[in-house]
Amino acid sequence: MIPILILAAGRSARMQGTDKLLQMVHGTPLLRHITTEALAVSDDIYIALPENPAPRLAALDGLAVTPLITPEAAEGMSGTLRSAVAKLPDCPAFMMMLSDLPDLTSQDLSKILQARTDNPDHLIWRGATTAGQPGHPIIFDASLRPKFADLSGDGGGEPLVNPLRDQTHLTALGDRARRDLDTPADWATWRKRQSQAS
């Protein structure tokens, strides 16, 4: 099974002083929830964490995961990606996912893993909305790893993935592939939706 890298080194800057990754989702902190979903499909999980990770580490207590402390996260998403991808073990490919997508499930991750098996002539395999907007999770072929060392700024991996659209296989997962919760308003809307669905 290929390793899964969960990106959890952001500052939650838009959460007005609270940590979005510690918000409760189905009775557990979001970071623990999304990590548990990943553990259902792989036993090789890596968590990119900020330089002072104590509260987030506590949320992961008892889970068989490998924390990756990434001081470069202070530069933005690109710094996190450069540091964390370099620390992954040798592997034919690796999956990457954001940690603030509360609706992603282990079944979604399995679909992207299966897409890589079924479509081996691509370099990137990723989840997408029903309308075809690319989202998460994303699998990268190992041949792309050196390109992560060139990332800079807060653009994340877009400079890497945008030129490879023709070599990217999209799998529709619905809106949950892009439904991240960055602000208190996002969380309030999501909780209202969950309440109405229950």
Side-chain angles (χ1 to χ4, degrees):
M1 183 59 65
I2 67 174
I4 298 178
L5 172 62
I6 299 176
L7 303 175
R11 295 182 293 116
S12 291
R14 299 168 61 192
M15 281 296 291
Q16 300 178 9
T18 62
D19 189 342
K20 64 183 176 180
L21 299 187
L22 302 182
Q23 297 293 304
M24 300 304 283
V25 173
H26 307 305
T28 192
L30 172 57
L31 179 56
R32 188 178 186 91
H33 168 75
I34 199 70
T35 301
T36 301
E37 294 296 318
L39 282 165
V41 300
S42 175
D43 58 5
D44 200 14
I45 308 296
Y46 298 81
I47 316 288
L49 293 166
E51 194 166 14
N52 298 302
R56 295 179 183 179
L57 274 176
L60 298 168
D61 187 48
L63 298 182
V65 300
T66 301
L68 301 177
I69 307 304
T70 55
E72 297 89 341
E75 303 173 28
M77 179 65 80
S78 295
T80 299
L81 293 174
R82 283 199 322 271
S83 175
V85 170
K87 295 175 182 177
L88 294 176
D90 289 338
C91 52
F94 59 95
M95 177 181 283
M96 180 186 298
M97 57 191 296
L98 298 176
S99 54
D100 60 354
L101 297 165
D103 297 328
L104 278 183
T105 67
S106 58
Q107 289 84 1
D108 294 327
L109 276 58
S110 293
K111 287 180 181 178
I112 307 306
L113 290 167
Q114 188 62 46
R116 173 176 172 262
T117 299
D118 295 342
N119 303 274
D121 54 337
H122 291 70
L123 292 176
I124 299 173
W125 303 262
R126 67 187 302 182
T129 66
T130 304
Q133 292 180 292
H136 281 253
I138 310 173
I139 296 178
F140 293 93
D141 186 79
S143 64
L144 299 177
R145 284 186 69 166
K147 295 182 179 295
F148 283 86
D150 299 326
L151 296 176
S152 62
D154 201 29
E158 293 307 311
L160 190 161
V161 300
N162 285 342
L164 296 172
R165 288 174 180 167
D166 291 343
Q167 294 171 283
T168 299
H169 184 276
L170 299 179
T171 298
L173 300 177
D175 291 343
R176 59 188 178 275
R178 289 176 62 94
R179 187 182 291 127
D180 56 344
L181 305 181
D182 289 329
T183 68
D186 291 339
W187 278 96
T189 299
W190 182 81
R191 287 182 175 125
K192 182 177 181 180
R193 185 185 298 117
Q194 293 294 304
S195 177
Q196 292 171 342
S198 61

